[in-house]
Amino acid sequence: MRDQYQDGLRLLLVAAGCVLLVACGNLANLVLARGLKDRAQTSIRVALGASRHRLVRKALVESMMLAVIGGAIGVVVAYGGTRLILHLAFQTGGPNNYVPIDATPSWPVLLFTLAMSVLTGVIFGIAPAWIDFACRPG
């Protein structure tokens, strides 16, 4: 079966990679927009005496939580999607729905995807704080 479906599976891998890039880009935009929206709140915290280190840490923790939760939901969707695709592809119609393939998502691929989600959260979670503090003197 591998030889027969090799080209189609490569195309599917490229499509999945493109979806991952789009999802990471969307996450980056959302985190940046959320960080820039909170500029007034950050200014108040600085005026009240919060250190830069503490504000950057707060932004990083928030973005990491979003990234980890998003990555975990992605793993759950990957497992559920795999089962759904196999069920739809090998639907027998009888009471005994036997699926001749035991396909589960690859752990290295899932860990890579989770790592990219976390890396995106770190980079774009720190970016608003970096922009705020790079523009201010002192």
Side-chain angles (χ1 to χ4, degrees), residues 6-93:
Q6 185 174 9
D7 293 334
L9 290 174
R10 282 191 180 143
L11 180 64
L12 188 60
L13 179 65
V14 169
C18 290
V19 169
L20 175 63
L21 286 174
V22 168
C24 285
N26 284 339
L27 175 67
N29 283 332
L30 289 172
V31 170
L32 277 173
R34 185 182 51 83
L36 293 176
K37 175 190 67 91
D38 293 338
R39 281 182 129 176
Q41 185 182 55
T42 303
S43 297
I44 292 172
R45 288 181 179 183
V46 168
L48 291 175
S51 68
R52 290 182 182 192
H53 183 295
R54 186 175 186 140
L55 293 174
V56 170
R57 187 175 56 202
K58 176 193 164 295
L60 183 61
V61 167
E62 287 178 356
S63 65
M64 288 299 299
M65 287 298 296
L66 286 174
V68 168
I69 289 170
I73 290 173
V75 169
V76 170
V77 168
Y79 273 101
T82 302
R83 289 185 179 266
L84 179 65
I85 289 172
L86 287 176
H87 176 73
L88 293 175
F90 295 104
Q91 202 168 25
T92 59

Side-chain angles (χ1 to χ4, degrees), residues 73-135:
I73 290 173
V75 169
V76 170
V77 168
Y79 273 101
T82 302
R83 289 185 179 266
L84 179 65
I85 289 172
L86 287 176
H87 176 73
L88 293 175
F90 295 104
Q91 202 168 25
T92 59
N96 202 6
N97 285 339
Y98 171 71
V99 177
I101 298 173
D102 182 28
T104 58
S106 169
W107 276 105
V109 172
L110 288 176
L111 290 176
F112 172 77
T113 306
L114 184 62
M116 287 297 106
S117 169
V118 169
L119 182 66
T120 303
V122 168
I123 292 171
F124 291 98
I126 291 178
W130 183 269
I131 291 169
D132 280 345
F133 295 126
C135 296

